[in-house]
């Protein structure tokens, strides 16, 4: 194994049970050195448990967690070269900002003058150096978050774990902190493992994303792969919006829906054995007219309603099987108005119909 | 009608508070009375009874004994009470509630039961009664006071702070000393002050466990048995002020902590 390729965090066949409840089911995950890796999923999907096992606060019932190639199952959290940014920041209320950030270095008995310069350097990185002497409860949520980041990064861990760090912040602050995080990760060149239930956040921040549901890993890949080529119906519906139509494959690229829609699709991979599958069509890939020759698939539907979103609009239709179909269009003045109950033909290209496994849980 | 209810409630409150505090005020008042008989009106005010206290060596020895008992007993109770609170709060112990109740029991049970049972135990173990045995007796009822105050504080303490500390490289022991303890300090201190107050005034348990020595409350009790002296009023006044002082500090500590916590949670 080449050292650069070696995973900084690796979970091998990890299962975690709490009594009879199986929180993690046979999870294999390999996180590369220096990447921004996100784990997304709805609450209860096992992402926080996964994080706790990497940090050392929880232990795998079966399987093992490897840190830089060595099994970490028996290494306590305080001996792991892994730091965490907690959801509620967990700043020590009885210490100033300075003492909070200096805490990890003081524990390691670093000389005082070194501590001072490194604390200031660390706080400058997150633009919090003017707040040295403040107490944590004099800071706003975003400021606390920055201090928590400085504190977790000061001892230069191999991996930084972030447990939904932005969920308590309001919309604008969250966007600002997303920028801070992204730049910070490039600057310090430390592996970030980012836990979130916000798929948009994961798409915009990450190098790679793992999507989990009910303790099962559904897919790992780059944001583009996850969005463009979802492998399961859950991933297609959770990451962005998607129209899922149920049916079966009658050939490598021939799909027939339960309601009788016939469609040409992209190449199916190993799904021929499945009794039924879904095709996933993103709302922005659908057209209300046949733009060019490639739009060979036609879906007859009935117009239901229009929702206005400023730069674009979303049209809701109902297809023969009763499923609601969303269509997203940019507002460019030339958009046709439909009336309720009107029959409309919708078009899409074969490469926009992604075959996904029927796997919602 | 509403007005009547209001006056009624006020009157009731007045009666309750009078019942509680009038005896204390009267005793304090008579400690400054020159006359040896406690009758109103007071003819002349004096500090003679307080001056007399300084020459009463018996009293000073008893006061010293009280401190010899209360201080070490409180110190031990701080350690036991805090550790017990931490264990009960942090680890799910099978039958934890019952075990907590067992620790609380010596505080609820009449002193006479604790006193006699410890007395018998020490006799059985052939341990001579002394201030040492009194200290052990006092530990049994101060510990629950500390424990319940600290537990209450730990319940409101964010456990993530401990996780964060360990995550940043501190062992569980250092985490307790550097993070947990500073955050529950006020509750520990309040428990200690309340414990000290209870211990300092305690008679019954001490009576069964003490040898030839006397603690201050025991001496006062025996003084009253031998006949009334206005000097008792003076000692009494000092003890009341001392106890109220400790309770006031403990109370302000507890409330200050609660309020600051409430503000940060907003």
């Amino acid at each position: 194994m080449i050292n650069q390729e070696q995973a900084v965090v690796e979970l091998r066949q990890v299962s975690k049970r709490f009594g009879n409840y199986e929180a993690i089911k046979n999870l294999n995950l390999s996180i590369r050195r220096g990447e921004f890796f996100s784990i997304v999923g709805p609450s209860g999907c096992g992402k926080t448990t996964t994080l706790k096992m990497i940090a050392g606060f929880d232990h795998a019932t079966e399987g093992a967690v490897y840190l830089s190639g060595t099994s970490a199952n028996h290494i306590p959290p305080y001996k792991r070269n892994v730091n965490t940014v907690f959801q509620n920041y967990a700043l020590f209320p009885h210490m100033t900002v300075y003492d909070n950030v200096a805490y990890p270095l003081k524990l390691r008995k670093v000389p005082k003058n070194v501590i001072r310069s490194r604390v200031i350097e660390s706080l400058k990185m997150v633009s919090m150096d003017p707040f040295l002497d403040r107490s944590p409860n004099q800071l706003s949520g975003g400021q606390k978050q920055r201090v928590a980041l400085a504190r977790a990064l000061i001892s230069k861990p191999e991996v930084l774990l972030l447990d939904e760090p932005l969920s308590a912040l309001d919309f604008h602050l969250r966007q600002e902190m997303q920028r801070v995080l992204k730049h910070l990760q490039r600057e310090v060149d430390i592996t970030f493992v980012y836990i979130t239930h916000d798929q948009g956040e994961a798409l915009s921040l990450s190098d790679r994303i793992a999507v989990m549901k009910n303790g099962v890993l559904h897919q790992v890949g780059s944001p583009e792969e996850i969005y463009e080529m979802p492998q399961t119906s859950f991933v297609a519906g959770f990451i962005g919006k998607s129209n899922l139509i149920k049916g079966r494959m009658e050939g490598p690229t021939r799909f027939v829906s339960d309601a009788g829609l016939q469609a040409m699709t992209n190449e199916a991979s190993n799904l021929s054995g499945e009794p039924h599958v879904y095709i996933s069509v993103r709302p922005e890939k659908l057209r209300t007219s046949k733009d060019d020759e490639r739009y060979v698939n036609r879906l007859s539907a009935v117009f239901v309603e229009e929702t206005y979103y400023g730069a674009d609009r979303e049209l809701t239709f109902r297809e023969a099987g009763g499923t609601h179909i969303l269509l997203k269009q940019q507002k460019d003045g030339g958009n046709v108005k439909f009336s309720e109950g009107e029959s409309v033909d919708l078009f899409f290209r074969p490469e926009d119909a992604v075959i996904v496994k029927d796997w919602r849980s | 009608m509403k007005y009547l209810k209001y006056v009624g409630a006020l009157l009731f409150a007045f009666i309750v508070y009078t019942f509680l505090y009038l005896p204390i005020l009267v005793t304090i008042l008579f400690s400054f009375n020159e006359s040896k008989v406690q009758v109103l009106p007071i003819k002349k005010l004096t500090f003679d009874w307080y001056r007399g206290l300084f020459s009463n060596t018996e009293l000073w020895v008893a006061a010293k004994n009280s401190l010899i008992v209360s201080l070490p007993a409180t110190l031990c109770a701080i350690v036991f009470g805090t550790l017990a609170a931490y264990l009960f709060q942090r680890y799910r112990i099978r039958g934890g509630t019952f075990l907590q109740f067992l620790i609380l029991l010596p505080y609820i049970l009449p002193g006479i039961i604790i006193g006699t049972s410890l007395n018998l135990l020490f006799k059985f173990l052939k341990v001579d009664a002394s201030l040492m045995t009194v200290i052990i007796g006092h530990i049994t009822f101060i510990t629950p006071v500390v424990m319940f105050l600290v537990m209450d504080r730990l319940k409101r303490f964010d456990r993530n702070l401990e996780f964060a500390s360990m995550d940043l490289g501190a062992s569980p022991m250092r985490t307790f000393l550097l993070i947990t303890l500073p955050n529950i300090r006020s509750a520990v201190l309040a428990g200690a002050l309340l414990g000290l107050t209870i211990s300092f005034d305690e008679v019954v348990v001490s009576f069964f466990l003490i040898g030839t020595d006397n603690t201050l409350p025991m001496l006062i009790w025996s003084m009253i048995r031998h006949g009334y002296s206005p000097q008792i009023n003076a000692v009494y006044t000092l003890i009341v002020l001392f106890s109220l002082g400790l309770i006031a500090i403990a109370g302000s500590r507890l409330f200050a902590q609660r309020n600051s916590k409430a503000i940060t949670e907003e």
Side-chain angles (χ1 to χ4, degrees), chain B residues 61-95:
Chain B
V61 170
K64 200 181 85 192
N65 283 343
S66 276
L67 286 178
I68 289 174
V69 169
S70 297
L71 289 177
T74 306
L75 280 177
C76 288
I78 289 175
V79 176
F80 296 160
T82 307
L83 284 180
Y86 191 77
L87 292 178
F88 283 129
Q89 197 57 46
R90 284 291 174 265
Y91 301 96
R92 278 201 186 164
I93 298 166
R94 192 182 285 266

mmCIF file of all heavy atoms in Angstrom, chain B residues 61-95:
data_model
loop_
_atom_site.group_PDB
_atom_site.id
_atom_site.type_symbol
_atom_site.label_atom_id
_atom_site.label_comp_id
_atom_site.label_asym_id
_atom_site.label_seq_id
_atom_site.Cartn_x
_atom_site.Cartn_y
_atom_site.Cartn_z
ATOM 1 N N VAL B 61 -13.478 25.946 75.166
ATOM 2 C CA VAL B 61 -13.052 24.579 74.862
ATOM 3 C C VAL B 61 -14.132 23.879 74.041
ATOM 4 O O VAL B 61 -13.860 23.232 73.026
ATOM 5 C CB VAL B 61 -12.759 23.790 76.161
ATOM 6 C CG1 VAL B 61 -12.561 22.312 75.843
ATOM 7 C CG2 VAL B 61 -11.540 24.363 76.863
ATOM 8 N N ALA B 62 -15.385 24.067 74.459
ATOM 9 C CA ALA B 62 -16.501 23.427 73.748
ATOM 10 C C ALA B 62 -16.591 23.943 72.320
ATOM 11 O O ALA B 62 -16.806 23.171 71.374
ATOM 12 C CB ALA B 62 -17.809 23.683 74.490
ATOM 13 N N ALA B 63 -16.409 25.262 72.159
ATOM 14 C CA ALA B 63 -16.476 25.846 70.814
ATOM 15 C C ALA B 63 -15.371 25.271 69.944
ATOM 16 O O ALA B 63 -15.574 24.924 68.772
ATOM 17 C CB ALA B 63 -16.355 27.359 70.887
ATOM 18 N N LYS B 64 -14.169 25.150 70.563
ATOM 19 C CA LYS B 64 -13.048 24.585 69.817
ATOM 20 C C LYS B 64 -13.358 23.142 69.410
ATOM 21 O O LYS B 64 -13.143 22.745 68.259
ATOM 22 C CB LYS B 64 -11.774 24.633 70.686
ATOM 23 C CG LYS B 64 -10.486 24.534 69.875
ATOM 24 C CD LYS B 64 -9.258 24.554 70.762
ATOM 25 C CE LYS B 64 -8.953 23.156 71.267
ATOM 26 N NZ LYS B 64 -7.952 23.147 72.347
ATOM 27 N N ASN B 65 -13.909 22.354 70.353
ATOM 28 C CA ASN B 65 -14.286 20.965 70.041
ATOM 29 C C ASN B 65 -15.276 20.905 68.878
ATOM 30 O O ASN B 65 -15.182 20.037 68.010
ATOM 31 C CB ASN B 65 -14.917 20.293 71.268
ATOM 32 C CG ASN B 65 -13.856 19.899 72.282
ATOM 33 O OD1 ASN B 65 -12.672 19.832 71.959
ATOM 34 N ND2 ASN B 65 -14.272 19.667 73.518
ATOM 35 N N SER B 66 -16.218 21.841 68.896
ATOM 36 C CA SER B 66 -17.218 21.861 67.816
ATOM 37 C C SER B 66 -16.542 22.021 66.462
ATOM 38 O O SER B 66 -16.903 21.354 65.491
ATOM 39 C CB SER B 66 -18.212 23.006 68.016
ATOM 40 O OG SER B 66 -19.213 22.583 68.903
ATOM 41 N N LEU B 67 -15.556 22.923 66.422
ATOM 42 C CA LEU B 67 -14.840 23.118 65.160
ATOM 43 C C LEU B 67 -14.021 21.881 64.801
ATOM 44 O O LEU B 67 -13.947 21.494 63.633
ATOM 45 C CB LEU B 67 -13.936 24.346 65.243
ATOM 46 C CG LEU B 67 -14.667 25.692 65.189
ATOM 47 C CD1 LEU B 67 -13.689 26.842 65.340
ATOM 48 C CD2 LEU B 67 -15.448 25.828 63.887
ATOM 49 N N ILE B 68 -13.396 21.263 65.845
ATOM 50 C CA ILE B 68 -12.596 20.052 65.605
ATOM 51 C C ILE B 68 -13.470 18.966 64.984
ATOM 52 O O ILE B 68 -13.013 18.172 64.171
ATOM 53 C CB ILE B 68 -11.948 19.558 66.921
ATOM 54 C CG1 ILE B 68 -10.837 20.519 67.338
ATOM 55 C CG2 ILE B 68 -11.401 18.144 66.774
ATOM 56 C CD1 ILE B 68 -10.231 20.209 68.696
ATOM 57 N N VAL B 69 -14.749 18.944 65.371
ATOM 58 C CA VAL B 69 -15.660 17.957 64.800
ATOM 59 C C VAL B 69 -16.159 18.395 63.420
ATOM 60 O O VAL B 69 -16.062 17.663 62.436
ATOM 61 C CB VAL B 69 -16.869 17.721 65.740
ATOM 62 C CG1 VAL B 69 -17.948 16.909 65.030
ATOM 63 C CG2 VAL B 69 -16.410 17.011 67.002
ATOM 64 N N SER B 70 -16.662 19.631 63.345
ATOM 65 C CA SER B 70 -17.401 20.052 62.141
ATOM 66 C C SER B 70 -16.506 20.184 60.919
ATOM 67 O O SER B 70 -16.893 19.779 59.818
ATOM 68 C CB SER B 70 -18.099 21.382 62.387
ATOM 69 O OG SER B 70 -19.039 21.226 63.409
ATOM 70 N N LEU B 71 -15.313 20.754 61.088
ATOM 71 C CA LEU B 71 -14.469 20.999 59.909
ATOM 72 C C LEU B 71 -14.028 19.698 59.227
ATOM 73 O O LEU B 71 -14.266 19.535 58.034
ATOM 74 C CB LEU B 71 -13.283 21.888 60.273
ATOM 75 C CG LEU B 71 -13.655 23.347 60.574
ATOM 76 C CD1 LEU B 71 -12.430 24.153 60.988
ATOM 77 C CD2 LEU B 71 -14.353 23.997 59.389
ATOM 78 N N PRO B 72 -13.395 18.771 59.959
ATOM 79 C CA PRO B 72 -13.000 17.532 59.272
ATOM 80 C C PRO B 72 -14.192 16.736 58.753
ATOM 81 O O PRO B 72 -14.125 16.155 57.667
ATOM 82 C CB PRO B 72 -12.259 16.716 60.329
ATOM 83 C CG PRO B 72 -12.129 17.575 61.509
ATOM 84 C CD PRO B 72 -12.992 18.771 61.363
ATOM 85 N N ALA B 73 -15.281 16.730 59.524
ATOM 86 C CA ALA B 73 -16.467 15.984 59.085
ATOM 87 C C ALA B 73 -16.966 16.563 57.765
ATOM 88 O O ALA B 73 -17.300 15.831 56.828
ATOM 89 C CB ALA B 73 -17.564 16.047 60.141
ATOM 90 N N THR B 74 -16.996 17.894 57.675
ATOM 91 C CA THR B 74 -17.466 18.535 56.448
ATOM 92 C C THR B 74 -16.524 18.236 55.285
ATOM 93 O O THR B 74 -16.964 17.935 54.169
ATOM 94 C CB THR B 74 -17.584 20.052 56.650
ATOM 95 O OG1 THR B 74 -18.405 20.283 57.792
ATOM 96 C CG2 THR B 74 -18.197 20.723 55.443
ATOM 97 N N LEU B 75 -15.212 18.299 55.549
ATOM 98 C CA LEU B 75 -14.243 18.013 54.487
ATOM 99 C C LEU B 75 -14.439 16.603 53.923
ATOM 100 O O LEU B 75 -14.470 16.418 52.703
ATOM 101 C CB LEU B 75 -12.813 18.172 55.021
ATOM 102 C CG LEU B 75 -12.303 19.611 55.099
ATOM 103 C CD1 LEU B 75 -10.912 19.641 55.698
ATOM 104 C CD2 LEU B 75 -12.311 20.243 53.705
ATOM 105 N N CYS B 76 -14.573 15.622 54.837
ATOM 106 C CA CYS B 76 -14.789 14.245 54.369
ATOM 107 C C CYS B 76 -16.083 14.157 53.578
ATOM 108 O O CYS B 76 -16.146 13.511 52.529
ATOM 109 C CB CYS B 76 -14.863 13.280 55.551
ATOM 110 S SG CYS B 76 -13.278 13.027 56.335
ATOM 111 N N ALA B 77 -17.135 14.828 54.110
ATOM 112 C CA ALA B 77 -18.443 14.759 53.447
ATOM 113 C C ALA B 77 -18.381 15.355 52.044
ATOM 114 O O ALA B 77 -19.044 14.876 51.130
ATOM 115 C CB ALA B 77 -19.497 15.474 54.278
ATOM 116 N N ILE B 78 -17.554 16.407 51.861
ATOM 117 C CA ILE B 78 -17.408 17.008 50.524
ATOM 118 C C ILE B 78 -16.893 15.957 49.557
ATOM 119 O O ILE B 78 -17.416 15.778 48.454
ATOM 120 C CB ILE B 78 -16.414 18.193 50.562
ATOM 121 C CG1 ILE B 78 -17.025 19.371 51.287
ATOM 122 C CG2 ILE B 78 -16.031 18.604 49.146
ATOM 123 C CD1 ILE B 78 -16.052 20.516 51.470
ATOM 124 N N VAL B 79 -15.836 15.253 49.982
ATOM 125 C CA VAL B 79 -15.229 14.247 49.105
ATOM 126 C C VAL B 79 -16.227 13.134 48.805
ATOM 127 O O VAL B 79 -16.510 12.816 47.646
ATOM 128 C CB VAL B 79 -13.946 13.672 49.737
ATOM 129 C CG1 VAL B 79 -13.378 12.571 48.862
ATOM 130 C CG2 VAL B 79 -12.929 14.785 49.938
ATOM 131 N N PHE B 80 -16.804 12.545 49.875
ATOM 132 C CA PHE B 80 -17.740 11.422 49.684
ATOM 133 C C PHE B 80 -18.968 11.868 48.884
ATOM 134 O O PHE B 80 -19.383 11.208 47.940
ATOM 135 C CB PHE B 80 -18.207 10.866 51.038
ATOM 136 C CG PHE B 80 -17.095 10.264 51.856
ATOM 137 C CD1 PHE B 80 -17.231 10.104 53.228
ATOM 138 C CD2 PHE B 80 -15.915 9.841 51.261
ATOM 139 C CE1 PHE B 80 -16.222 9.548 53.991
ATOM 140 C CE2 PHE B 80 -14.894 9.284 52.016
ATOM 141 C CZ PHE B 80 -15.050 9.135 53.394
ATOM 142 N N GLY B 81 -19.538 12.997 49.290
ATOM 143 C CA GLY B 81 -20.781 13.466 48.671
ATOM 144 C C GLY B 81 -20.584 13.775 47.199
ATOM 145 O O GLY B 81 -21.405 13.395 46.358
ATOM 146 N N THR B 82 -19.483 14.448 46.866
ATOM 147 C CA THR B 82 -19.228 14.819 45.472
ATOM 148 C C THR B 82 -18.993 13.572 44.618
ATOM 149 O O THR B 82 -19.550 13.437 43.526
ATOM 150 C CB THR B 82 -18.017 15.753 45.374
ATOM 151 O OG1 THR B 82 -18.220 16.853 46.256
ATOM 152 C CG2 THR B 82 -17.838 16.280 43.959
ATOM 153 N N LEU B 83 -18.181 12.656 45.143
ATOM 154 C CA LEU B 83 -17.905 11.435 44.380
ATOM 155 C C LEU B 83 -19.179 10.626 44.171
ATOM 156 O O LEU B 83 -19.451 10.161 43.066
ATOM 157 C CB LEU B 83 -16.866 10.578 45.109
ATOM 158 C CG LEU B 83 -15.430 11.083 45.002
ATOM 159 C CD1 LEU B 83 -14.491 10.149 45.757
ATOM 160 C CD2 LEU B 83 -15.000 11.201 43.544
ATOM 161 N N ALA B 84 -19.975 10.505 45.248
ATOM 162 C CA ALA B 84 -21.225 9.740 45.130
ATOM 163 C C ALA B 84 -22.131 10.394 44.098
ATOM 164 O O ALA B 84 -22.689 9.717 43.229
ATOM 165 C CB ALA B 84 -21.924 9.657 46.487
ATOM 166 N N ALA B 85 -22.251 11.718 44.180
ATOM 167 C CA ALA B 85 -23.111 12.437 43.235
ATOM 168 C C ALA B 85 -22.626 12.185 41.813
ATOM 169 O O ALA B 85 -23.416 11.916 40.906
ATOM 170 C CB ALA B 85 -23.095 13.930 43.534
ATOM 171 N N TYR B 86 -21.320 12.255 41.607
ATOM 172 C CA TYR B 86 -20.741 12.079 40.271
ATOM 173 C C TYR B 86 -21.038 10.669 39.745
ATOM 174 O O TYR B 86 -21.449 10.500 38.608
ATOM 175 C CB TYR B 86 -19.237 12.314 40.326
ATOM 176 C CG TYR B 86 -18.623 12.414 38.952
ATOM 177 C CD1 TYR B 86 -18.748 13.569 38.205
ATOM 178 C CD2 TYR B 86 -17.926 11.345 38.402
ATOM 179 C CE1 TYR B 86 -18.212 13.669 36.937
ATOM 180 C CE2 TYR B 86 -17.377 11.433 37.144
ATOM 181 C CZ TYR B 86 -17.517 12.595 36.412
ATOM 182 O OH TYR B 86 -16.992 12.691 35.156
ATOM 183 N N LEU B 87 -20.839 9.674 40.614
ATOM 184 C CA LEU B 87 -21.075 8.293 40.184
ATOM 185 C C LEU B 87 -22.541 8.075 39.833
ATOM 186 O O LEU B 87 -22.861 7.505 38.798
ATOM 187 C CB LEU B 87 -20.644 7.310 41.281
ATOM 188 C CG LEU B 87 -19.138 7.252 41.533
ATOM 189 C CD1 LEU B 87 -18.828 6.290 42.669
ATOM 190 C CD2 LEU B 87 -18.402 6.819 40.270
ATOM 191 N N PHE B 88 -23.441 8.546 40.717
ATOM 192 C CA PHE B 88 -24.866 8.340 40.457
ATOM 193 C C PHE B 88 -25.310 9.063 39.201
ATOM 194 O O PHE B 88 -26.163 8.597 38.463
ATOM 195 C CB PHE B 88 -25.708 8.818 41.648
ATOM 196 C CG PHE B 88 -25.700 7.855 42.800
ATOM 197 C CD1 PHE B 88 -25.413 8.285 44.082
ATOM 198 C CD2 PHE B 88 -25.973 6.507 42.596
ATOM 199 C CE1 PHE B 88 -25.400 7.399 45.141
ATOM 200 C CE2 PHE B 88 -25.960 5.613 43.648
ATOM 201 C CZ PHE B 88 -25.674 6.063 44.930
ATOM 202 N N GLN B 89 -24.738 10.236 38.956
ATOM 203 C CA GLN B 89 -25.174 11.047 37.824
ATOM 204 C C GLN B 89 -24.579 10.562 36.500
ATOM 205 O O GLN B 89 -25.211 10.629 35.466
ATOM 206 C CB GLN B 89 -24.771 12.503 38.084
ATOM 207 C CG GLN B 89 -25.480 13.505 37.229
ATOM 208 C CD GLN B 89 -26.987 13.393 37.392
ATOM 209 O OE1 GLN B 89 -27.478 13.306 38.510
ATOM 210 N NE2 GLN B 89 -27.706 13.381 36.295
ATOM 211 N N ARG B 90 -23.342 10.058 36.543
ATOM 212 C CA ARG B 90 -22.641 9.741 35.312
ATOM 213 C C ARG B 90 -22.781 8.298 34.867
ATOM 214 O O ARG B 90 -22.675 7.997 33.700
ATOM 215 C CB ARG B 90 -21.144 10.059 35.465
ATOM 216 C CG ARG B 90 -20.840 11.517 35.391
ATOM 217 C CD ARG B 90 -21.057 12.047 33.994
ATOM 218 N NE ARG B 90 -20.900 13.495 33.960
ATOM 219 C CZ ARG B 90 -21.888 14.343 34.059
ATOM 220 N NH1 ARG B 90 -23.128 13.912 34.221
ATOM 221 N NH2 ARG B 90 -21.683 15.643 34.023
ATOM 222 N N TYR B 91 -22.979 7.421 35.815
ATOM 223 C CA TYR B 91 -23.071 6.017 35.446
ATOM 224 C C TYR B 91 -24.433 5.488 35.832
ATOM 225 O O TYR B 91 -24.953 5.842 36.886
ATOM 226 C CB TYR B 91 -21.974 5.205 36.141
ATOM 227 C CG TYR B 91 -20.602 5.694 35.791
ATOM 228 C CD1 TYR B 91 -19.934 6.586 36.614
ATOM 229 C CD2 TYR B 91 -19.985 5.290 34.603
ATOM 230 C CE1 TYR B 91 -18.680 7.073 36.283
ATOM 231 C CE2 TYR B 91 -18.738 5.769 34.258
ATOM 232 C CZ TYR B 91 -18.085 6.649 35.102
ATOM 233 O OH TYR B 91 -16.856 7.127 34.761
ATOM 234 N N ARG B 92 -24.988 4.694 34.972
ATOM 235 C CA ARG B 92 -26.266 4.076 35.321
ATOM 236 C C ARG B 92 -25.979 2.899 36.219
ATOM 237 O O ARG B 92 -25.528 1.854 35.765
ATOM 238 C CB ARG B 92 -26.962 3.618 34.060
ATOM 239 C CG ARG B 92 -27.672 4.749 33.415
ATOM 240 C CD ARG B 92 -28.721 4.205 32.511
ATOM 241 N NE ARG B 92 -29.306 5.319 31.781
ATOM 242 C CZ ARG B 92 -30.035 5.190 30.704
ATOM 243 N NH1 ARG B 92 -30.265 4.005 30.233
ATOM 244 N NH2 ARG B 92 -30.545 6.232 30.113
ATOM 245 N N ILE B 93 -26.258 3.105 37.502
ATOM 246 C CA ILE B 93 -25.979 2.045 38.454
ATOM 247 C C ILE B 93 -27.271 1.293 38.717
ATOM 248 O O ILE B 93 -28.318 1.897 38.934
ATOM 249 C CB ILE B 93 -25.398 2.632 39.758
ATOM 250 C CG1 ILE B 93 -24.071 3.323 39.453
ATOM 251 C CG2 ILE B 93 -25.226 1.549 40.811
ATOM 252 C CD1 ILE B 93 -23.564 4.203 40.546
ATOM 253 N N ARG B 94 -27.191 -0.011 38.671
ATOM 254 C CA ARG B 94 -28.367 -0.829 38.943
ATOM 255 C C ARG B 94 -28.845 -0.544 40.362
ATOM 256 O O ARG B 94 -28.059 -0.563 41.299
ATOM 257 C CB ARG B 94 -27.984 -2.309 38.797
ATOM 258 C CG ARG B 94 -29.163 -3.246 38.762
ATOM 259 C CD ARG B 94 -28.658 -4.658 38.678
ATOM 260 N NE ARG B 94 -28.175 -4.963 37.330
ATOM 261 C CZ ARG B 94 -28.946 -5.543 36.393
ATOM 262 N NH1 ARG B 94 -30.168 -5.878 36.679
ATOM 263 N NH2 ARG B 94 -28.455 -5.793 35.199
ATOM 264 N N GLY B 95 -30.090 -0.245 40.519
ATOM 265 C CA GLY B 95 -30.632 0.087 41.842
ATOM 266 C C GLY B 95 -30.123 1.424 42.352
ATOM 267 O O GLY B 95 -30.068 1.649 43.559
#
